[in-house]
Amino acid sequence: MNKTININLANNFFHMDDVAYSKLQRYLAAVKRSFADTKGSDEILTDIEARIAELFNEKLVSKKEIITEKEVDEVVAIMGKPEDYMIDEDIFDDAPKSASRVSKAKKLYRDINAKYIGGVCSGLEHYLGFDSLWIRIIFILLTVFSGFGILIYILLWILVPEAATTSQQLDMRGKAINISNIERKVKEGFTDVADKVKNANYEKMGNSVKSSSKTFFDTIGDVFMFFFKVFAKFIGIIMIITGASALIGLFIGMFSIGIMDMIHVPGIDFVDMVNSTNTPLWLLSILGFFAIGIPFFFLLYLGLKILAKNPKSIGNTAKYSLLGLWLAAVIGLSTLGIQQASSHAYSGTTSIQEEIYLDNPIDTLVVAMNFSEAYKNQDNIGVDGITMAYKENGDRILFKDGLHFNIKKSADSIVRIKIKKEADGSTFNDAKERSGKIEYNYEVKENTIILNDFLVSALEDKVRNQDVRITLYIPENMQVKFDKTAKNHLGWDTSYDQKYYRGVMTTYTWKMDREGELICLNCPETEEEIEEDNNSNGPDKIIINEDGIDINIQGDEESLTIEINEDGVKIESKEKDSTIQNN
C-alpha cells in the first residue's frame, strides 16, 4: 500500500502517492540542476512548476483524486526531460528548432509587453498574424467613421486576459509549453532588458514618451478594471442565486409532480384530459427538469467561476454529457410539443338527421332540456368547457354541458332534428372519427322533445374541442313552446319577430312563419311591456359563448344592448324616449 502525500505546487494543492512524489522530486531536481548556471533560473523553475500544476489539474476529475506515477510520466512526456535539451549557450539556438516545429493552437491574450494602451492590438497580432500597426489603424478608422472601434477595443480589453506568465505568453504565440520553450522565453526577456540598457542613450526620448503614455493608460485601465471587477462580482452573485434557486425549485417541482401522479392528487387528472401523446407525467417532468435545469446549472457554474480565483473545472466529459442530455431533453420536448399541437390541426364533423313523429302533429310542440343527474361529480378544472366526470361505477369520462339549440323552418311538413358533432384531430379522418365517438341523446314524449343539455366522450379521446350543435326543423304554421328548462339554451341562429332576450322568449308561445321566423302569439303589444319583461329577467346581462356575445346593460335613464353573432353586429342604445339602432 502506497502512502499519500499532500503537496503545494505553484499554490495548487495535490494528493500524491509516495512513488509519484519521489519521481516528481527527482524530475524537478534534475531540471533545477540543468538551469543552475542559467540567467533567470528562478523564473524558469517557477514557470515550469506552474505548467506542471496546470497539467495535473487538467488530468484530475476531482480535487480528491490522487496523482499516481502514470500522471507524472504523462506530464514528463509533455514537458520533456532536461537531458533532451542542450543547455550550452553556443548550441542553444539549434536545440529548440526541433521543438518549435510542433504546431499548437494559439490562444488570444493581451500582450502587455508590447502594449500602448491595453495590449489588445499586439495580442491580436500574435493571434491573427497581422502587423499590430494595421490593426491599430483599423480600430482608429472604425472609431472615426462608426464610433464602434473604441467600444470593441474596450470590450476586448475587459474580456481578453493578459499574457502575464511565461506559459500564457507561449500560448499566445502558439508554442508548446515545455522546458525548452520556457527557457528560451525567459532568456529572451533578459536579452531584451540588456539591449534596452545598451541603447538607453539613443532611445532616451522615445522611451520616455512611450513610458509616460503607458503609465497614464495603465492608471486609467486599472481604475476601469477595478469597477468592472466589482460589477462582475455582483453579477456573479446574482447568477449563483438565480441558478441555485431555479435548480432547487425545479427539483422540488419534479419531485412533487411525481408524488402527485403516484397518489392521484385531485386535479392532476387534468393532464390525462389534454395529453394527446399519452406520455407519462413523470417522464415529462424529467425532460422539463433537464431542458430548463441544465442551462441554470451552467449559469450557477459561470457565477462560481466569476467569484472564485481558480475554480475547479467540471471536466470536458461532464460538460459534453450535460450538453448531450440537454439536447436530448429539448428534442424530446419539441417532438412531444409538435405532436400535441398537431392533434388540433384538423376539424371534423359527424352529422345525424332524423325525423321526429309526434303523437299529435297539430298540437303545440314543446322543447325541454334534460340536465344530467348521473354526472354530478365533476372536476373543477377543465378546458374549452370540457371537464372530467365520473360514472356511477367510477369510470372517468369527458363531460360538457350548457349546449344550445336552434329552431328553423322545415322544408316540408315533417319535424326533424339535426345533431352536428364536432371534434379536432391530427388528420381529417382522425377528427371525423373522434367526432363520431361523441355521445349525445334526446328523447320524445308525446309532443315534447327533451334534448340533453350535455355531451360525453371517452377519456381516451382526449380534449379535442368536442361540441354538439342541435337544430330543430319545424313545419310552417307549427306552434312551439319552451319549457322553463330551455331558458338560456336557445341559440343565436333562431330568428324571431320580437325584441326579447332569448332568456325571456321561452315564456311565450311562437309559430313558424313562411320566412322561417318565429312569430310570437301572446307577447305584449307595447315596447314598454316588452322592456319590462326584459328587465324582469335581470337588469344587466353579459353572455359570451360559442354562439356570440349578448350584452344588455340597464341604467336609470338609458340602456345599451349589443349582439354580436355570425349574422353581424347589432347595437341598440336607448335614452328616455330616443332610440338609436345600428346594424
Side-chain angles (χ1 to χ4, degrees):
M1 180 181 294
N2 295 334
K3 293 188 299 182
T4 301
I5 300 172
N6 298 328
I7 70 167
N8 182 352
L9 185 64
N11 294 325
N12 288 269
F13 291 94
F14 300 100
H15 305 286
M16 303 183 69
D17 64 33
D18 55 349
V19 177
Y21 176 72
S22 299
K23 195 163 191 175
L24 179 62
Q25 265 193 326
R26 292 194 299 270
Y27 177 74
L28 292 176
V31 172
K32 186 175 183 180
R33 287 194 300 271
S34 299
F35 295 105
D37 299 324
T38 304
K39 293 181 180 179
S41 59
D42 291 339
E43 184 177 350
I44 294 174
L45 291 173
T46 300
D47 288 334
I48 290 175
E49 289 181 357
R51 177 56 178 164
I52 293 174
E54 182 181 347
L55 292 174
F56 280 154
N57 280 321
E58 290 178 359
K59 294 182 178 298
L60 295 182
V61 177
S62 67
K63 284 287 187 182
K64 297 181 179 179
E65 196 170 345
I66 298 174
I67 297 175
T68 63
E69 186 179 7
K70 177 186 176 183
E71 283 77 26
V72 175
D73 290 337
E74 291 175 352
V75 169
V76 170
I78 294 173
M79 297 296 296
K81 296 180 180 180
E83 57 266 26
D84 294 337
Y85 302 96
M86 304 183 70
I87 308 302
D88 186 72
E89 291 292 339
D90 295 333
I91 57 176
F92 173 77
D93 291 337
D94 296 333
K97 290 181 181 179
S98 60
S100 63
R101 294 191 187 101
V102 180
S103 60
K104 186 177 185 295
K106 296 179 182 179
K107 291 185 179 179
L108 181 58
Y109 288 96
R110 291 185 290 112
D111 188 358
I112 57 176
N113 294 325
K115 69 176 182 178
Y116 274 91
I117 299 178
V120 173
C121 295
S122 53
L124 288 172
E125 176 183 9
H126 296 295
Y127 190 76
L128 301 176
F130 296 147
D131 193 298
S132 59
L133 175 63
W134 296 108
I135 298 175
R136 291 186 176 102
I137 291 174
I138 291 173
F139 273 111
I140 293 172
L141 293 176
L142 286 175
T143 302
V144 172
F145 292 105
S146 66
F148 289 106
I150 186 65
L151 178 62
I152 296 173
Y153 190 93
I154 292 175
L155 288 176
L156 290 174
W157 191 358
I158 294 172
L159 299 176
V160 177
E162 65 180 29
T165 66
T166 303
S167 297
Q168 290 172 338
Q169 291 173 9
L170 292 173
D171 262 342
M172 179 176 64
R173 290 169 170 80
K175 295 182 179 180
I177 307 174
N178 51 35
I179 293 176
S180 176
N181 286 331
I182 290 175
E183 181 191 13
R184 174 188 288 271
K185 184 61 185 171
V186 173
K187 284 189 173 184
E188 286 177 355
F190 279 97
T191 302
D192 290 342
V193 173
D195 290 342
K196 289 181 180 179
V197 172
K198 292 178 182 178
N199 298 326
N201 293 332
Y202 301 99
E203 300 178 355
K204 183 176 180 181
M205 185 62 68
N207 286 340
S208 176
V209 175
K210 184 175 180 180
S211 176
S212 299
S213 65
K214 286 184 178 180
T215 302
F216 171 76
F217 287 116
D218 283 345
T219 303
I220 297 297
D222 291 342
V223 173
F224 189 81
M225 288 300 296
F226 171 77
F227 287 106
F228 175 76
K229 287 179 180 179
V230 172
F231 179 75
K233 297 292 183 183
F234 175 75
I235 295 298
I237 294 173
I238 298 297
M239 293 169 69
I240 291 174
I241 295 175
T242 303
S245 302
L247 287 174
I248 294 172
L250 287 170
F251 181 79
I252 294 175
M254 180 184 67
F255 184 76
S256 302
I257 290 175
I259 294 297
M260 288 190 294
D261 189 32
M262 290 174 59
I263 63 178
H264 296 289
V265 174
I268 202 70
D269 291 335
F270 171 76
V271 179
D272 291 334
M273 297 170 52
V274 299
N275 185 10
S276 300
T277 63
N278 292 319
T279 305
L281 186 58
W282 61 266
L283 180 57
L284 288 174
S285 62
I286 291 176
L287 290 176
F289 177 80
F290 286 136
I292 302 174
I294 290 177
F296 278 106
F297 169 78
F298 279 105
L299 183 68
L300 171 65
Y301 177 67
L302 182 58
L304 291 173
K305 292 194 71 173
I306 291 175
L307 289 182
K309 273 191 173 182
N310 295 308
K312 176 65 178 177
S313 174
I314 62 175
N316 290 332
T317 302
K319 291 178 182 177
Y320 291 129
S321 298
L322 289 174
L323 177 61
L325 196 59
W326 179 76
L327 288 175
V330 170
I331 292 173
L333 288 176
S334 299
T335 302
L336 294 175
I338 293 172
Q339 291 179 359
Q340 180 71 26
S342 64
S343 64
H344 294 267
Y346 294 87
S347 297
T349 60
T350 300
S351 297
I352 301 173
Q353 185 165 301
E354 298 176 345
E355 296 180 354
I356 297 177
Y357 297 95
L358 305 175
D359 291 347
N360 187 3
I362 62 173
D363 200 358
T364 301
L365 174 67
V366 179
V367 181
M369 300 297 291
N370 173 40
F371 302 96
S372 172
E373 296 293 334
Y375 307 118
K376 285 185 176 180
N377 297 323
Q378 301 179 33
D379 289 342
N380 294 326
I381 302 176
V383 58
D384 293 333
I386 302 175
T387 60
M388 185 178 294
Y390 300 86
K391 294 183 178 180
E392 293 181 355
N393 60 4
D395 291 343
R396 299 179 298 173
I397 60 169
L398 298 179
F399 177 86
K400 180 178 182 180
D401 58 2
L403 301 181
H404 293 75
F405 66 90
N406 287 287
I407 296 180
K408 294 186 177 182
K409 179 176 174 292
S410 176
D412 49 29
S413 60
I414 299 176
V415 178
R416 292 181 175 84
I417 184 172
K418 181 179 180 181
I419 302 173
K420 185 179 180 182
K421 304 176 183 179
E422 302 175 347
D424 295 339
S426 56
T427 64
F428 177 75
N429 291 333
D430 177 49
K432 189 173 181 63
E433 181 181 354
R434 290 178 187 275
S435 67
K437 294 180 180 179
I438 297 174
E439 297 180 18
Y440 180 81
N441 297 305
Y442 68 94
E443 185 180 4
V444 179
K445 288 184 178 180
E446 298 179 350
N447 276 33
T448 301
I449 299 177
I450 305 173
L451 304 172
N452 277 355
D453 170 65
F454 59 91
L455 65 85
V456 295
S457 184
L459 181 62
E460 293 76 17
D461 292 329
K462 308 298 180 182
V463 175
R464 297 293 181 86
N465 199 26
Q466 289 93 335
D467 200 4
V468 171
R469 302 183 185 275
I470 309 107
T471 305
L472 289 174
Y473 294 90
I474 62 176
E476 181 182 347
N477 295 323
M478 174 172 275
Q479 297 182 13
V480 59
K481 291 183 63 176
F482 301 99
D483 186 77
K484 63 180 181 179
T485 57
K487 185 177 181 179
N488 296 327
H489 287 273
L490 190 62
W492 289 78
D493 288 342
T494 301
S495 299
Y496 54 97
D497 67 336
Q498 299 294 331
K499 297 180 179 179
Y500 281 116
Y501 303 133
R502 285 167 175 75
V504 178
M505 65 177 292
T506 54
T507 59
Y508 299 104
T509 302
W510 305 79
K511 184 176 73 173
M512 180 62 69
D513 72 352
R514 179 178 300 178
E515 303 299 328
E517 186 177 60
L518 292 177
I519 306 299
C520 187
L521 300 180
N522 57 347
C523 292
E525 296 181 357
T526 64
E527 290 191 4
E528 288 76 10
E529 292 177 305
I530 293 176
E531 183 175 355
E532 183 179 351
D533 279 352
N534 283 333
N535 292 335
S536 66
N537 191 49
D540 298 327
K541 178 181 67 173
I542 299 177
I543 299 176
I544 302 175
N545 52 38
E546 64 271 15
D547 294 324
I549 301 175
D550 187 359
I551 300 175
N552 175 36
I553 300 176
Q554 300 291 332
D556 295 336
E557 299 181 355
E558 58 183 358
S559 64
L560 174 66
T561 302
I562 302 175
E563 294 182 2
I564 304 175
N565 53 40
E566 61 184 14
D567 295 330
V569 179
K570 179 180 179 181
I571 301 176
E572 180 177 323
S573 176
K574 179 178 292 187
E575 183 177 355
K576 292 182 179 180
D577 296 332
S578 62
T579 301
I580 302 174
Q581 291 191 8
N582 299 312
N583 289 289

